[in-house]
Short mmCIF file of all heavy atoms in Angstrom, two decimals:
data_model
loop_
_atom_site.label_atom_id
_atom_site.label_comp_id
_atom_site.label_asym_id
_atom_site.label_seq_id
_atom_site.Cartn_x
_atom_site.Cartn_y
_atom_site.Cartn_z
N THR A 14 13.48 -3.77 -17.74
CA THR A 14 13.96 -3.70 -16.37
C THR A 14 12.95 -2.91 -15.57
O THR A 14 12.51 -1.84 -15.98
CB THR A 14 15.33 -3.00 -16.33
OG1 THR A 14 16.23 -3.71 -17.18
CG2 THR A 14 15.87 -2.95 -14.93
N LEU A 15 12.59 -3.45 -14.42
CA LEU A 15 11.59 -2.76 -13.60
C LEU A 15 12.15 -1.49 -12.98
O LEU A 15 13.25 -1.50 -12.44
CB LEU A 15 11.12 -3.68 -12.48
CG LEU A 15 10.24 -4.83 -12.88
CD1 LEU A 15 9.93 -5.70 -11.67
CD2 LEU A 15 8.94 -4.34 -13.49
N PRO A 16 11.39 -0.42 -13.03
CA PRO A 16 11.78 0.78 -12.31
C PRO A 16 11.82 0.50 -10.80
O PRO A 16 11.05 -0.34 -10.30
CB PRO A 16 10.67 1.78 -12.65
CG PRO A 16 10.03 1.24 -13.90
CD PRO A 16 10.16 -0.24 -13.80
N ALA A 17 12.68 1.19 -10.09
CA ALA A 17 12.81 1.00 -8.65
C ALA A 17 11.47 1.19 -7.95
O ALA A 17 11.15 0.47 -7.00
CB ALA A 17 13.85 1.97 -8.08
N GLU A 18 10.66 2.15 -8.41
CA GLU A 18 9.37 2.40 -7.79
C GLU A 18 8.44 1.20 -7.89
O GLU A 18 7.67 0.91 -6.97
CB GLU A 18 8.68 3.62 -8.43
CG GLU A 18 9.46 4.91 -8.31
CD GLU A 18 10.45 5.15 -9.45
OE1 GLU A 18 10.76 4.20 -10.21
OE2 GLU A 18 10.90 6.29 -9.58
N VAL A 19 8.54 0.48 -9.00
CA VAL A 19 7.71 -0.72 -9.18
C VAL A 19 8.25 -1.85 -8.31
O VAL A 19 7.49 -2.55 -7.64
CB VAL A 19 7.65 -1.13 -10.67
CG1 VAL A 19 6.92 -2.45 -10.84
CG2 VAL A 19 6.99 -0.03 -11.49
N GLU A 20 9.56 -2.03 -8.30
CA GLU A 20 10.16 -3.06 -7.44
C GLU A 20 9.75 -2.87 -5.99
O GLU A 20 9.37 -3.83 -5.31
CB GLU A 20 11.69 -3.02 -7.53
CG GLU A 20 12.25 -3.56 -8.81
CD GLU A 20 13.76 -3.63 -8.78
OE1 GLU A 20 14.33 -3.94 -7.71
OE2 GLU A 20 14.37 -3.37 -9.82
N GLY A 21 9.82 -1.64 -5.50
CA GLY A 21 9.44 -1.35 -4.12
C GLY A 21 7.99 -1.68 -3.85
O GLY A 21 7.64 -2.19 -2.78
N ASN A 22 7.13 -1.41 -4.81
CA ASN A 22 5.71 -1.71 -4.63
C ASN A 22 5.43 -3.21 -4.71
O ASN A 22 4.54 -3.71 -4.02
CB ASN A 22 4.86 -0.93 -5.64
CG ASN A 22 4.60 0.47 -5.14
OD1 ASN A 22 3.75 0.68 -4.29
ND2 ASN A 22 5.36 1.42 -5.65
N PHE A 23 6.19 -3.94 -5.50
CA PHE A 23 6.07 -5.40 -5.47
C PHE A 23 6.45 -5.93 -4.09
O PHE A 23 5.83 -6.84 -3.56
CB PHE A 23 6.93 -6.07 -6.54
CG PHE A 23 6.27 -6.20 -7.89
CD1 PHE A 23 6.88 -5.70 -9.02
CD2 PHE A 23 5.04 -6.85 -8.04
CE1 PHE A 23 6.29 -5.84 -10.26
CE2 PHE A 23 4.43 -6.98 -9.28
CZ PHE A 23 5.06 -6.48 -10.40
N ASP A 24 7.48 -5.34 -3.48
CA ASP A 24 7.87 -5.73 -2.12
C ASP A 24 6.75 -5.45 -1.13
O ASP A 24 6.45 -6.28 -0.25
CB ASP A 24 9.15 -5.00 -1.68
CG ASP A 24 10.40 -5.51 -2.34
OD1 ASP A 24 10.37 -6.62 -2.92
OD2 ASP A 24 11.42 -4.80 -2.28
N VAL A 25 6.13 -4.28 -1.24
CA VAL A 25 5.02 -3.92 -0.36
C VAL A 25 3.87 -4.92 -0.53
O VAL A 25 3.31 -5.42 0.45
CB VAL A 25 4.54 -2.47 -0.65
CG1 VAL A 25 3.19 -2.20 -0.01
CG2 VAL A 25 5.58 -1.47 -0.16
N ALA A 26 3.52 -5.22 -1.76
CA ALA A 26 2.43 -6.16 -2.02
C ALA A 26 2.74 -7.53 -1.44
O ALA A 26 1.87 -8.19 -0.87
CB ALA A 26 2.17 -6.25 -3.53
N LYS A 27 3.98 -7.96 -1.57
CA LYS A 27 4.37 -9.26 -1.02
C LYS A 27 4.24 -9.27 0.50
O LYS A 27 3.75 -10.24 1.08
CB LYS A 27 5.81 -9.59 -1.44
CG LYS A 27 6.31 -10.92 -0.93
CD LYS A 27 5.51 -12.07 -1.48
CE LYS A 27 6.09 -13.40 -1.04
NZ LYS A 27 5.29 -14.53 -1.49
N GLN A 28 4.66 -8.18 1.15
CA GLN A 28 4.52 -8.11 2.60
C GLN A 28 3.04 -8.18 2.99
O GLN A 28 2.68 -8.89 3.95
CB GLN A 28 5.14 -6.83 3.15
CG GLN A 28 6.64 -6.88 3.23
CD GLN A 28 7.19 -5.71 4.03
OE1 GLN A 28 6.66 -4.61 4.01
NE2 GLN A 28 8.26 -5.98 4.75
N ALA A 29 2.19 -7.46 2.29
CA ALA A 29 0.76 -7.48 2.59
C ALA A 29 0.19 -8.88 2.39
O ALA A 29 -0.57 -9.39 3.23
CB ALA A 29 0.02 -6.47 1.72
N GLN A 30 0.55 -9.51 1.28
CA GLN A 30 0.03 -10.84 0.99
C GLN A 30 0.53 -11.86 2.01
O GLN A 30 -0.24 -12.74 2.44
CB GLN A 30 0.41 -11.25 -0.43
CG GLN A 30 -0.33 -10.42 -1.46
CD GLN A 30 0.21 -10.59 -2.87
OE1 GLN A 30 1.41 -10.53 -3.09
NE2 GLN A 30 -0.68 -10.82 -3.81
N ASN A 31 1.78 -11.76 2.43
CA ASN A 31 2.29 -12.65 3.46
C ASN A 31 1.52 -12.47 4.77
O ASN A 31 1.16 -13.44 5.43
CB ASN A 31 3.78 -12.43 3.70
CG ASN A 31 4.64 -13.00 2.59
OD1 ASN A 31 4.20 -13.80 1.77
ND2 ASN A 31 5.88 -12.56 2.54
N LEU A 32 1.30 -11.22 5.16
CA LEU A 32 0.55 -10.95 6.38
C LEU A 32 -0.85 -11.54 6.29
O LEU A 32 -1.30 -12.24 7.20
CB LEU A 32 0.46 -9.45 6.64
CG LEU A 32 -0.47 -9.06 7.79
CD1 LEU A 32 0.12 -9.51 9.13
CD2 LEU A 32 -0.74 -7.57 7.78
N LEU A 33 -1.54 -11.27 5.20
CA LEU A 33 -2.91 -11.73 5.06
C LEU A 33 -3.01 -13.25 5.06
O LEU A 33 -4.02 -13.81 5.52
CB LEU A 33 -3.53 -11.14 3.79
CG LEU A 33 -3.75 -9.63 3.83
CD1 LEU A 33 -4.09 -9.10 2.45
CD2 LEU A 33 -4.83 -9.26 4.84
N SER A 34 -1.98 -13.93 4.60
CA SER A 34 -2.00 -15.39 4.59
C SER A 34 -1.96 -15.97 6.00
O SER A 34 -2.29 -17.13 6.21
CB SER A 34 -0.85 -15.95 3.74
OG SER A 34 0.39 -15.79 4.42
N LEU A 35 -1.56 -15.14 6.98
CA LEU A 35 -1.46 -15.59 8.37
C LEU A 35 -2.69 -15.20 9.21
O LEU A 35 -2.79 -15.60 10.36
CB LEU A 35 -0.22 -14.97 9.03
CG LEU A 35 1.12 -15.24 8.36
CD1 LEU A 35 2.21 -14.41 9.01
CD2 LEU A 35 1.45 -16.72 8.40
N MET A 36 -3.58 -14.41 8.64
CA MET A 36 -4.68 -13.82 9.40
C MET A 36 -5.88 -14.75 9.53
O MET A 36 -6.13 -15.58 8.67
CB MET A 36 -5.18 -12.55 8.70
CG MET A 36 -4.21 -11.39 8.65
SD MET A 36 -4.31 -10.30 10.08
CE MET A 36 -3.06 -11.05 11.11
N ASN A 37 -6.62 -14.53 10.61
CA ASN A 37 -7.98 -15.05 10.70
C ASN A 37 -8.88 -13.84 10.92
O ASN A 37 -8.40 -12.72 11.12
CB ASN A 37 -8.13 -16.11 11.79
CG ASN A 37 -7.87 -15.58 13.19
OD1 ASN A 37 -8.26 -14.47 13.54
ND2 ASN A 37 -7.21 -16.38 14.02
N ASP A 38 -10.20 -14.04 10.87
CA ASP A 38 -11.13 -12.91 10.97
C ASP A 38 -10.95 -12.13 12.26
O ASP A 38 -10.96 -10.89 12.25
CB ASP A 38 -12.58 -13.41 10.87
CG ASP A 38 -12.95 -13.88 9.48
OD1 ASP A 38 -12.31 -13.42 8.51
OD2 ASP A 38 -13.88 -14.69 9.36
N GLU A 39 -10.80 -12.82 13.36
CA GLU A 39 -10.68 -12.14 14.65
C GLU A 39 -9.44 -11.25 14.68
O GLU A 39 -9.50 -10.10 15.13
CB GLU A 39 -10.62 -13.17 15.78
CG GLU A 39 -10.57 -12.57 17.16
CD GLU A 39 -10.53 -13.64 18.25
OE1 GLU A 39 -10.99 -14.76 18.01
OE2 GLU A 39 -10.03 -13.31 19.34
N GLN A 40 -8.32 -11.76 14.22
CA GLN A 40 -7.08 -10.97 14.20
C GLN A 40 -7.20 -9.79 13.26
O GLN A 40 -6.75 -8.68 13.58
CB GLN A 40 -5.91 -11.87 13.78
CG GLN A 40 -5.59 -12.95 14.76
CD GLN A 40 -4.71 -14.04 14.15
OE1 GLN A 40 -4.73 -14.28 12.95
NE2 GLN A 40 -3.93 -14.69 15.00
N TYR A 41 -7.78 -10.00 12.10
CA TYR A 41 -7.91 -8.96 11.09
C TYR A 41 -8.80 -7.81 11.56
O TYR A 41 -8.59 -6.66 11.21
CB TYR A 41 -8.48 -9.59 9.81
CG TYR A 41 -8.48 -8.72 8.58
CD1 TYR A 41 -7.29 -8.35 7.95
CD2 TYR A 41 -9.67 -8.29 8.00
CE1 TYR A 41 -7.29 -7.57 6.81
CE2 TYR A 41 -9.68 -7.53 6.86
CZ TYR A 41 -8.49 -7.16 6.27
OH TYR A 41 -8.49 -6.39 5.12
N GLN A 42 -9.78 -8.12 12.40
CA GLN A 42 -10.74 -7.13 12.88
C GLN A 42 -10.38 -6.54 14.25
O GLN A 42 -11.05 -5.63 14.73
CB GLN A 42 -12.14 -7.74 12.94
CG GLN A 42 -12.64 -8.15 11.57
CD GLN A 42 -13.93 -8.94 11.63
OE1 GLN A 42 -14.73 -8.78 12.55
NE2 GLN A 42 -14.15 -9.78 10.64
N PHE A 43 -9.30 -7.00 14.84
CA PHE A 43 -8.89 -6.56 16.18
C PHE A 43 -8.45 -5.10 16.17
O PHE A 43 -7.71 -4.66 15.28
CB PHE A 43 -7.74 -7.44 16.67
CG PHE A 43 -7.19 -7.05 18.01
CD1 PHE A 43 -7.85 -7.39 19.18
CD2 PHE A 43 -6.00 -6.34 18.10
CE1 PHE A 43 -7.35 -7.03 20.42
CE2 PHE A 43 -5.48 -5.98 19.34
CZ PHE A 43 -6.16 -6.32 20.50
N VAL A 44 -8.90 -4.33 17.18
CA VAL A 44 -8.46 -2.95 17.38
C VAL A 44 -7.63 -2.91 18.66
O VAL A 44 -8.13 -3.25 19.73
CB VAL A 44 -9.66 -1.98 17.49
CG1 VAL A 44 -9.17 -0.56 17.76
CG2 VAL A 44 -10.51 -2.02 16.23
N ALA A 45 -6.38 -2.49 18.55
CA ALA A 45 -5.47 -2.45 19.70
C ALA A 45 -5.66 -1.16 20.49
O ALA A 45 -4.75 -0.36 20.64
CB ALA A 45 -4.03 -2.61 19.22
N ALA A 46 -6.87 -0.98 21.01
CA ALA A 46 -7.17 0.21 21.83
C ALA A 46 -6.42 0.09 23.15
O ALA A 46 -6.23 -1.00 23.65
CB ALA A 46 -8.67 0.30 22.06
N PRO A 47 -5.95 1.16 23.71
CA PRO A 47 -6.11 2.55 23.31
C PRO A 47 -5.02 3.04 22.36
O PRO A 47 -4.99 4.21 22.02
CB PRO A 47 -6.03 3.29 24.64
CG PRO A 47 -5.01 2.51 25.42
CD PRO A 47 -5.27 1.07 25.02
N TYR A 48 -4.13 2.16 21.94
CA TYR A 48 -2.99 2.58 21.11
C TYR A 48 -3.38 2.90 19.68
O TYR A 48 -2.76 3.76 19.05
CB TYR A 48 -1.90 1.51 21.15
CG TYR A 48 -1.55 1.14 22.56
CD1 TYR A 48 -1.96 -0.07 23.10
CD2 TYR A 48 -0.86 2.03 23.39
CE1 TYR A 48 -1.66 -0.39 24.42
CE2 TYR A 48 -0.57 1.72 24.70
CZ TYR A 48 -0.97 0.50 25.21
OH TYR A 48 -0.70 0.20 26.50
N LEU A 49 -4.36 2.20 19.18
CA LEU A 49 -4.83 2.43 17.81
C LEU A 49 -6.35 2.57 17.82
O LEU A 49 -7.02 2.03 18.70
CB LEU A 49 -4.44 1.25 16.90
CG LEU A 49 -2.95 0.99 16.72
CD1 LEU A 49 -2.73 -0.28 15.91
CD2 LEU A 49 -2.26 2.16 16.06
N GLN A 50 -6.86 3.28 16.83
CA GLN A 50 -8.30 3.46 16.71
C GLN A 50 -8.91 2.61 15.61
O GLN A 50 -10.12 2.57 15.45
CB GLN A 50 -8.62 4.93 16.43
CG GLN A 50 -8.17 5.87 17.52
CD GLN A 50 -8.33 7.32 17.10
OE1 GLN A 50 -8.43 7.65 15.93
NE2 GLN A 50 -8.34 8.20 18.09
N SER A 51 -8.05 1.95 14.83
CA SER A 51 -8.52 1.20 13.67
C SER A 51 -8.00 -0.23 13.72
O SER A 51 -6.92 -0.50 14.24
CB SER A 51 -8.03 1.86 12.38
OG SER A 51 -8.47 3.19 12.31
N SER A 52 -8.78 -1.11 13.12
CA SER A 52 -8.38 -2.52 13.02
C SER A 52 -7.35 -2.68 11.90
O SER A 52 -7.15 -1.79 11.07
CB SER A 52 -9.60 -3.38 12.72
OG SER A 52 -10.09 -3.11 11.41
N ILE A 53 -6.74 -3.85 11.87
CA ILE A 53 -5.85 -4.18 10.76
C ILE A 53 -6.62 -4.06 9.46
O ILE A 53 -6.14 -3.51 8.48
CB ILE A 53 -5.25 -5.59 10.94
CG1 ILE A 53 -4.27 -5.59 12.13
CG2 ILE A 53 -4.57 -6.06 9.66
CD1 ILE A 53 -3.78 -6.97 12.53
N GLY A 54 -7.84 -4.57 9.45
CA GLY A 54 -8.68 -4.50 8.24
C GLY A 54 -8.96 -3.08 7.80
O GLY A 54 -8.97 -2.79 6.60
N GLN A 55 -9.18 -2.18 8.75
CA GLN A 55 -9.43 -0.78 8.38
C GLN A 55 -8.16 -0.14 7.82
O GLN A 55 -8.23 0.63 6.85
CB GLN A 55 -9.95 -0.01 9.58
CG GLN A 55 -11.38 -0.41 9.93
CD GLN A 55 -11.82 0.14 11.27
OE1 GLN A 55 -11.09 0.06 12.26
NE2 GLN A 55 -13.02 0.69 11.31
N HIS A 56 -7.00 -0.45 8.41
CA HIS A 56 -5.75 0.05 7.84
C HIS A 56 -5.54 -0.52 6.44
O HIS A 56 -5.13 0.21 5.52
CB HIS A 56 -4.56 -0.32 8.73
CG HIS A 56 -4.41 0.55 9.93
ND1 HIS A 56 -3.88 1.82 9.87
CD2 HIS A 56 -4.73 0.34 11.23
CE1 HIS A 56 -3.88 2.36 11.07
NE2 HIS A 56 -4.39 1.48 11.93
N MET A 57 -5.81 -1.81 6.28
CA MET A 57 -5.62 -2.45 4.97
C MET A 57 -6.54 -1.82 3.93
O MET A 57 -6.13 -1.54 2.81
CB MET A 57 -5.85 -3.95 5.09
CG MET A 57 -5.39 -4.74 3.89
SD MET A 57 -3.61 -4.67 3.55
CE MET A 57 -2.94 -5.54 4.96
N ARG A 58 -7.80 -1.57 4.30
CA ARG A 58 -8.73 -0.93 3.36
C ARG A 58 -8.20 0.44 2.94
O ARG A 58 -8.22 0.79 1.76
CB ARG A 58 -10.12 -0.79 4.02
CG ARG A 58 -11.22 -0.32 3.06
CD ARG A 58 -11.44 1.18 3.02
NE ARG A 58 -11.52 1.79 4.33
CZ ARG A 58 -11.14 3.03 4.56
NH1 ARG A 58 -10.66 3.81 3.62
NH2 ARG A 58 -11.21 3.54 5.79
N HIS A 59 -7.68 1.19 3.90
CA HIS A 59 -7.15 2.51 3.58
C HIS A 59 -5.95 2.40 2.62
O HIS A 59 -5.88 3.14 1.62
CB HIS A 59 -6.75 3.23 4.86
CG HIS A 59 -6.09 4.54 4.63
ND1 HIS A 59 -6.74 5.63 4.10
CD2 HIS A 59 -4.82 4.93 4.84
CE1 HIS A 59 -5.89 6.64 3.99
NE2 HIS A 59 -4.72 6.25 4.44
#
Side-chain angles (χ1 to χ4, degrees):
T14 303
L15 288 176
E18 299 89 345
V19 174
E20 286 186 37
N22 277 282
F23 273 126
D24 287 344
V25 166
K27 180 63 175 176
Q28 283 192 326
Q30 291 168 312
N31 286 344
L32 172 69
L33 292 168
S34 73
L35 303 172
M36 294 271 92
N37 63 40
D38 289 335
E39 183 179 336
Q40 294 164 333
Y41 190 68
Q42 297 172 28
F43 177 78
V44 177
Y48 308 106
L49 298 175
Q50 299 172 340
S51 302
S52 68
I53 291 172
Q55 288 169 314
H56 281 282
M57 193 63 67
R58 188 268 313 150
H59 175 68

